[in-house]
Amino acid sequence: MDRSYYLERIDHRRRHLLGGAAMIAAAPLVMAVSANAQSGATNAAAATTINPGTNTSFGSLKHIAAGVLNVGYAEAGPIDGPPVILLHGWPYDIHTYIDVAPLLAERGCRVIVPYLRGYGTTRFLSQDAPRNAQQSALGADVISLMDALGIEKATIAGCDWGARTANIVAALWPERCKAMVSVSGYLIGNQKLGMMPLPPKAELQWWYQYYFATERGRAGYEKYTRDFARLIWEIGSPQWSFDDATFDRSATAFDNPDHVAITIHNYRWRLGLAEGERRYDELEQRLAKAPVITVPTITLEGDANGAPHPEPGAYAKMFSGKYEHRTISGGTGHNLPQEAPKAFAQAVIQVAGL
């Protein structure tokens, strides 16, 4: 999630400058899709022997040195299948895709589901590496992972931090991104805009961001990590009746020794309260210009998303390639891939032409 979309609504000059992008954007098809409905071109995930909700484990995880990380990741499907990379967010983990991955693997895809830096079994290769979670660093991690795995081009899909990271890969390295699925649309941030105040009601939604800006907040998140994460799950997905076992499977990912540092840095960096690394300066300068995404894209939104999120009409102009938006009904919240896995898998299959 990012605050920038609020600021664009009240910054008239910036909105005018971005207006030129709208002239080249394809007219979006906005539609509502039931999480369980399957019709027409979206039948792909319906005709399956996989039963979402029954999967509890990815099995053995793999590891590979990639950039500054030793990345832990799950893999499913044939190794020679079309690659699909699924990116989780905060405070979630790879189990966001526990039911999506087998649907795509059954379709013949090579599915890669990595733990982001600071989660699960992913570790920094050096103890001295900055525990940096600025947005461009996460995007660069994906490119490093693709290089390490010998993947030249992949469909990238994500939710929350993962959606922003997918946006960044598509915007900065379009030659490496065949297509994209992004929950809540265009989420590329702008650090300077992030420092600007919002109207009080909008600021209220970001209470945890300000909490994390304090040392009390850092200590509180470290002490009550699981309680905090569960609260965010409940707020973001008010109609999702997840059980203790579902939450506990993901919560083990927060035991990563760098998880608290990565979480705190991410939110402090957005507010300009923490520095990034100089190596990413050029990438951040490009992202600050709000680059239009040219690769084929489907954006998704849950009809019961309780987390801060932009309206689809606010970001449609940021996609100039083949583009479609779908609102997933049925009480779907913020963790859309885990709550509506068939709808998410359908979007990946269709946007990538699988």
Side-chain angles (χ1 to χ4, degrees), residues 166-174 186 188 286-287 291-295:
N167 289 181
I168 289 167
V169 173
L172 297 182
W173 296 279
Y186 188 92
I188 293 174
R286 291 168 62 188
L287 293 173
V292 172
I293 292 174
T294 60
V295 305

Side-chain angles (χ1 to χ4, degrees), residues 55-94:
N55 303 297
T56 59
S57 173
F58 282 105
S60 299
L61 298 181
K62 298 182 178 182
H63 294 84
I64 192 167
V68 300
L69 302 172
N70 185 318
V71 179
Y73 66 99
E75 184 168 4
I79 196 168
D80 59 348
V84 176
I85 299 176
L86 305 176
L87 303 172
H88 70 82
W90 172 88
Y92 305 97
D93 83 322
I94 62 174

Side-chain angles (χ1 to χ4, degrees), residues 58-317:
F58 282 105
S60 299
L61 298 181
K62 298 182 178 182
H63 294 84
I64 192 167
V68 300
L69 302 172
N70 185 318
V71 179
Y73 66 99
E75 184 168 4
I79 196 168
D80 59 348
V84 176
I85 299 176
L86 305 176
L87 303 172
H88 70 82
W90 172 88
Y92 305 97
D93 83 322
I94 62 174
H95 291 87
T96 289
Y97 302 103
I98 190 66
D99 290 320
V100 173
L103 291 172
L104 297 177
E106 188 181 56
R107 189 71 176 180
C109 300
R110 180 188 182 186
V111 185
I112 308 293
V113 193
Y115 279 113
L116 302 185
R117 52 172 65 192
Y119 293 80
T121 59
T122 290
R123 298 289 188 275
F124 284 89
L125 293 173
S126 171
Q127 289 298 321
D128 298 326
R131 271 39 179 180
N132 174 15
Q134 70 185 108
Q135 60 179 357
S136 58
L138 298 180
D141 287 348
V142 175
I143 297 300
S144 294
L145 177 61
M146 291 175 67
D147 289 343
L149 292 172
I151 296 174
E152 182 61 31
K153 199 168 189 174
T155 298
I156 315 290
C159 182
D160 196 80
W161 287 20
R164 178 180 301 104
T165 304
N167 289 181
I168 289 167
V169 173
L172 297 182
W173 296 279
E175 72 281 1
R176 306 296 299 273
C177 185
K178 177 181 179 181
M180 181 181 70
V181 173
S182 176
V183 176
S184 296
Y186 188 92
L187 297 174
I188 293 174
N190 182 313
Q191 194 179 43
K192 289 184 178 180
L193 280 177
M195 295 184 219
M196 294 174 61
L198 301 173
K201 286 185 178 180
E203 295 283 19
L204 180 62
Q205 297 183 75
W206 297 103
W207 62 273
Y208 56 87
Q209 185 165 256
Y210 301 112
Y211 182 63
F212 290 160
T214 69
E215 282 307 297
R216 178 187 174 96
R218 184 205 60 76
Y221 188 61
E222 183 173 39
K223 183 176 181 178
Y224 299 108
T225 306
R226 294 195 180 200
D227 291 339
F228 202 103
R230 185 160 193 141
L231 175 61
I232 296 297
W233 279 38
E234 292 169 351
I235 292 172
S237 301
Q239 297 185 42
W240 181 29
S241 299
F242 60 88
D243 58 20
D244 290 344
T246 297
F247 176 77
D248 290 342
R249 277 192 293 271
S250 290
T252 60
F254 314 145
D255 295 335
N256 183 296
D258 299 311
H259 178 73
V260 173
I262 287 297
T263 299
I264 298 301
H265 185 271
N266 180 280
Y267 286 103
R268 290 184 180 181
W269 180 87
R270 297 189 199 192
L271 295 176
L273 300 176
E275 294 186 358
E277 293 179 75
R278 294 296 301 272
R279 70 167 80 183
Y280 301 115
D281 283 356
E282 189 270 336
L283 297 180
E284 292 296 349
Q285 290 168 8
R286 291 168 62 188
L287 293 173
K289 296 178 182 178
V292 172
I293 292 174
T294 60
V295 305
T297 296
I298 291 178
T299 58
L300 302 173
E301 188 57 82
D303 66 340
N305 185 359
H309 61 279
E311 292 299 320
Y315 53 72
K317 63 180 178 292

